Amino acid sequence: MLVAGARPNFMKVGPLYRQLSRHRGVKPFFVHTGQHYDYNMSESFLQDLGLPKPDAFLDAGSGSHAEQTARTMVAFEKICLQTKPNLVVVVGDVNSTMACAVTAKKLLIPVAHVEAGLRSRDMTMPEEINRLVTDAVSDYLFTPSRDADENLKQEGATTSKIYFVGNIMIDSLKAALPKARQKNALADFGFQPKGYGLITLHRPSNVDLNEKLGGIVKALLKISLKIPLIFPIHPRTLKNLHNRRLAEGLKSHPRLKITQPLGYIDFINLMMNTCFVLTDSGGIQEETTFLGVPCLTLRDNTERPITLTQGTNELVKLPDLTEKVRLILDGKWKHGKIPKYWDGKTAQRIAAVIRKI
Ligand code: UD1
């Protein structure tokens, strides 16, 4: 049983679904928890990633963390009791991931976690709590990098549970590149290759606080004087811009373009051609490292340190942002390399283990 719920889950489940479908004796069953439900946060991703219609849709929806988690658990328990899966596979670190891992484990169903072992050590992030709980109850821990193995061992996980398989996001990214090259999303926005910056921000720590969000908008307007920016905007961020009356001034800004969240292929097209990315996403730190695109991460920490040590990513604080962008525009950014096993074959490695299980 493969579980996905929110936008960053679909690219992790897609390659595994396809691999498992090819194995005789394994029948994948795809559960969509419904944590994300807007067309452009969910269905468009299923289409772009070639995922089938979910075998079960739980309709968990939005709400407080407790409400969302509880609704997911109640609905997922019913599906598990009805279908009796031999293994539940959860991915990433969203609320759905944790809710389904705990529910399955209490029903004595073995649990596998893809993207295990990542740690930001920041307990104010809901995702960090989700990661810790999910890994603590999982029987099979599939890690994207060696630092994740070390984190798990330090927390007492037995080595035999840990499988270093690489980064499954890169499987989806590699598979999507030919299609993304054929797209011309940047021209649709009037951009030249490397002639714009790409922004994505949605973390509560950046967009839920009045002062911080106001400061971010100010900095973006300043940077846009040097290079035009495009900002595909997450529903949480848009809601907060409206609530704080910051949206009006941005609506028709000529050099800071706000748009709906984009589909997967369009977004990759913009990411592979951009001069730089400013983000607080986890997955985008990894995708830019793979693509060799400069990435500024507006956070105090990252659970993906390999993107700092080997890749093109750097953590940045708001007051330093314009200076960092200047360095990138002057061509003074590190080049980075692609980490081990970020090679498009992670789903194959996981499927081989699952088949043995
Ligand atoms: C969730 C994940 C986060 C991930 C992000 C990617 C958790 C704790 N957070 O954050 O790790 O990086 O997804 O997008 O699981 N909304 C819509 N339409 C949707 C989904 C959400 O309008 O399809 C709005 C709702 O107002 C909702 C808010 O966005 O309350 C936040 O959604 P939620 O799923 O709670 O968290 P995200 O911020 O999306």
Side-chain angles (χ1 to χ4, degrees):
M1 183 173 274
L2 302 178
V3 182
R7 184 170 62 176
N9 287 166
F10 301 119
M11 49 292 253
K12 295 167 195 167
V13 159
L16 196 52
Y17 186 93
R18 278 193 299 280
Q19 273 298 323
L20 289 175
S21 303
R22 289 193 200 129
H23 280 263
R24 277 180 55 199
V26 180
K27 189 175 181 300
F29 184 98
F30 172 31
V31 176
H32 185 330
T33 68
Q35 176 172 342
H36 284 172
Y37 42 84
D38 284 357
Y39 174 81
N40 52 18
M41 296 295 285
S42 166
E43 204 179 321
S44 89
F45 280 77
L46 301 188
Q47 285 167 10
D48 281 350
L49 288 155
L51 269 163
K53 197 170 167 288
D55 296 296
F57 181 73
L58 306 187
D59 206 9
S62 300
S64 73
H65 283 265
E67 286 165 345
Q68 192 178 56
T69 306
R71 271 202 304 270
T72 308
M73 291 176 101
V74 170
F76 188 64
E77 187 177 53
K78 286 191 185 129
I79 291 290
C80 285
L81 290 171
Q82 275 164 22
T83 59
K84 302 195 176 8
N86 297 108
L87 176 72
V88 165
V89 182
V90 295
V91 300
D93 57 15
V94 302
N95 286 344
S96 293
T97 310
M98 187 263 291
C100 296
V102 171
T103 303
K105 190 65 186 171
K106 288 196 172 181
L107 293 172
L108 308 182
I109 301 164
V111 177
H113 183 206
V114 176
E115 203 182 86
L118 296 183
R119 297 290 180 267
S120 66
R121 315 272 173 225
D122 178 355
M123 291 297 275
T124 66
M125 279 181 86
E127 293 83 359
E128 184 70 356
I129 299 167
N130 294 340
R131 290 180 203 115
L132 282 161
V133 173
T134 303
D135 286 341
V137 300
S138 290
D139 303 276
Y140 304 96
L141 298 160
F142 293 112
T143 63
S145 48
R146 288 287 187 203
D147 55 281
D149 295 19
E150 290 312 310
N151 292 334
L152 292 167
K153 284 182 207 159
Q154 272 174 27
E155 287 165 16
T158 44
T159 320
S160 59
K161 285 166 84 175
I162 304 171
Y163 298 84
F164 171 43
V165 289
N167 191 334
I168 200 159
M169 292 267 295
I170 305 303
D171 290 26
S172 281
L173 179 57
K174 272 188 96 166
L177 280 178
K179 273 196 207 154
R181 282 197 193 99
Q182 282 168 14
K183 281 263 177 168
N184 213 355
L186 65 152
D188 296 345
F189 293 107
F191 295 137
Q192 298 294 326
K194 305 293 166 197
Y196 62 96
L198 176 61
I199 318 294
T200 82
L201 297 165
H202 72 282
R203 296 244 170 242
S205 60
N206 281 326
V207 306
D208 283 4
L209 301 169
N210 254 342
E211 210 173 300
K212 184 86 182 271
L213 190 58
I216 290 172
V217 169
K218 226 168 152 185
L220 293 182
L221 288 171
K222 196 168 162 198
I223 294 165
S224 76
L225 297 172
K226 295 227 160 65
I227 182 164
L229 301 175
I230 175 140
F231 191 174
I233 206 154
H234 185 283
R236 171 192 283 279
T237 312
L238 186 63
K239 200 159 80 180
N240 290 340
L241 283 175
H242 276 300
N243 289 346
R244 286 154 181 97
R245 296 181 196 288
L246 291 163
E248 280 305 305
L250 298 180
K251 248 187 197 151
S252 51
H253 197 281
R255 290 179 66 87
L256 173 52
K257 297 189 186 189
I258 307 275
T259 146
Q260 296 265 321
L262 297 173
Y264 184 57
I265 307 285
D266 279 335
F267 189 78
I268 292 173
N269 177 270
L270 282 181
M271 191 164 43
M272 63 201 279
N273 287 298
T274 187
C275 174
F276 70 92
V277 175
L278 169 67
T279 192
D280 56 13
S281 146
I284 292 171
Q285 295 173 53
E286 300 177 331
E287 289 165 339
T288 47
T289 275
F290 181 83
L291 295 169
V293 169
C295 181
L296 295 166
T297 298
L298 191 60
R299 284 176 47 188
D300 295 335
N301 48 59
T302 177
E303 61 289 336
R304 291 157 162 96
I306 201 165
T307 62
L308 305 175
T309 54
Q310 297 191 19
T312 52
N313 186 26
E314 209 175 282
L315 299 177
V316 61
K317 293 195 188 307
L318 192 53
D320 304 329
L321 186 55
T322 42
E323 174 57 15
K324 294 285 180 190
V325 171
R326 194 185 60 77
L327 286 177
I328 294 172
L329 295 180
D330 289 349
K332 293 180 182 152
W333 203 252
K334 57 184 174 177
H335 289 288
K337 64 169 190 174
I338 297 175
K340 185 174 177 194
Y341 281 177
W342 293 26
D343 57 358
K345 294 184 180 150
T346 295
Q348 269 178 44
R349 287 185 277 269
I350 297 174
V353 177
I354 289 182
R355 188 133 189 262
K356 268 195 211 153
I357 296 168

